[in-house]
Amino acid sequence: MLDYPGTATGGTVNGNAANGNGTTMTSAANAAPAQRGTGTQHADGTPILVLVVDDEPSLAELLSSVLRYEGWNVRAAGNGTEAVRTGREFRPDAVVLDIMLPDFDGIEVMRRLRTELPDVCVLFLTARDAVEDRVAGLTAGGDDYVTKPFSLEELVARIRAILRRVGLDGNESSRLVFDDLELDDDTREVSRGGRHIELTDTEYRLLRYLMRNPRRVLTRAQLLDHVWSYDFGGDARVLETYVSYLRKKIDAGGRPLIHTVRGVGYSLRLPRS
């Protein structure tokens, strides 16, 4: 996944403004997202519709810009009443729904929407990190959740996964292929030349990001942002350590695919002649 317009770090919710839930974000005021036009439609050619519900205008604007950049048709609402009204008019396929709203909570919004839209997908967005809060949202019928602060890439990936599970967004393949290297995001299986490769969760996320950006030079900052999240506070040398682990597994017995760009970062590409 490429960098998103209007985000200073290339796809993470951080920056210089904070909302009431303690989530920090970059401004999307200068964003001019261009729709990608692939993996964004129903089988009949009509667009995928997404409703964003959050009472923090800056966050709602940022999320709407990012989702439009992915190619979806997006509307936003700032409270429960507006969300229900917009949902009934807009009839979205998916809702990114903040649980904490000023009038009534996101769970009640979901219940009211599903009286008319029983199949609408719901991704809860919440600052709450207690297990019971997450369980409550899923038990009430939510399809997934993301806890603030969060990675924009993770948010988009989770929405796509939900849409795939219900048979929407069918043009978006969960299978990534580069040369003889394959990654299936549904089964989390990785192979090269037919040889199964066992990866840890961190190794898998690092490889997935590299494979989503083949031949592109990714900076160390971008990799840390997308794989470890923007607020990673450890030694950045952990990236070099995991690249080394990944190379030993991926490049074993084959031509090297993960290359160091001195002073910048790394790139997934074929060796130069």
Side-chain angles (χ1 to χ4, degrees):
M1 187 176 296
L2 303 179
D3 290 353
Y4 295 113
T7 57
T9 61
T12 52
V13 178
N14 68 328
N16 51 26
N19 70 9
N21 294 325
T23 303
T24 55
M25 68 205 72
T26 50
S27 171
N30 297 320
Q35 293 191 358
R36 293 183 175 183
T38 58
T40 61
Q41 297 178 335
H42 298 95
D44 63 1
T46 56
I48 297 289
L49 309 180
V50 182
L51 174 62
V52 173
V53 184
D54 197 289
D55 62 334
E56 173 55 46
S58 298
L59 180 55
E61 181 184 2
L62 174 60
L63 294 180
S64 297
S65 295
V66 166
L67 298 181
R68 289 190 185 103
Y69 179 71
E70 289 296 318
W72 292 314
N73 190 337
V74 183
R75 289 193 189 177
N79 57 54
T81 302
E82 184 184 0
V84 173
R85 182 175 64 250
T86 303
R88 288 170 175 167
E89 172 194 343
F90 186 49
R91 305 189 73 79
D93 299 294
V95 183
V96 179
L97 181 55
D98 192 359
I99 287 185
M100 300 176 66
L101 296 170
D103 44 5
F104 48 89
D105 66 27
I107 293 176
E108 180 61 24
V109 172
M110 179 184 66
R111 288 172 176 155
R112 296 189 187 189
L113 284 176
R114 282 188 171 164
T115 60
E116 296 188 22
L117 303 169
D119 297 324
V120 68
C121 303
V122 175
L123 175 74
F124 281 120
L125 185 63
T126 176
R128 301 176 181 179
D129 55 7
V131 173
E132 56 269 25
D133 293 323
R134 286 176 273 170
V135 170
L138 296 176
T139 302
D143 296 282
D144 204 348
Y145 68 89
V146 171
T147 303
K148 301 175 184 178
F150 56 87
S151 158
L152 292 174
E153 183 184 357
E154 177 188 6
L155 179 78
V156 171
R158 287 180 180 273
I159 297 172
R160 287 196 180 279
I162 293 170
L163 293 172
R164 282 199 303 270
R165 288 201 297 268
V166 298
L168 299 176
D169 204 20
N171 293 327
E172 175 67 15
S173 174
S174 65
R175 184 169 169 266
L176 301 174
V177 179
F178 183 80
D179 195 40
D180 58 348
L181 178 64
E182 298 185 19
L183 180 150
D184 191 315
D185 218 9
D186 283 338
T187 63
R188 294 181 69 88
E189 292 180 344
V190 176
S191 63
R192 184 170 184 191
R195 173 180 60 89
H196 176 73
I197 300 172
E198 195 70 37
L199 299 180
T200 66
D201 181 63
T202 301
E203 291 166 350
Y204 179 87
R205 286 185 284 113
L206 176 58
L207 178 63
R208 179 175 58 187
Y209 187 56
L210 287 166
M211 292 187 70
R212 283 179 172 170
N213 296 275
R215 293 173 291 275
R216 181 168 174 244
V217 178
L218 300 171
T219 67
R220 291 177 175 83
Q222 285 175 313
L223 289 163
L224 286 170
D225 280 345
H226 285 80
V227 178
W228 282 269
S229 81
Y230 79 90
D231 59 347
F232 174 73
D235 191 332
R237 286 177 296 183
V238 72
L239 173 59
E240 283 72 20
T241 299
Y242 274 93
V243 168
S244 176
Y245 293 158
L246 198 53
R247 278 174 169 157
K248 289 177 182 178
K249 295 181 178 183
I250 298 301
D251 292 341
R255 52 185 175 178
L257 297 180
I258 302 174
H259 298 269
T260 301
V261 180
R262 191 177 299 276
V264 182
Y266 299 93
S267 178
L268 183 74
R269 60 172 174 78
L270 294 174
R272 294 192 173 94
S273 302

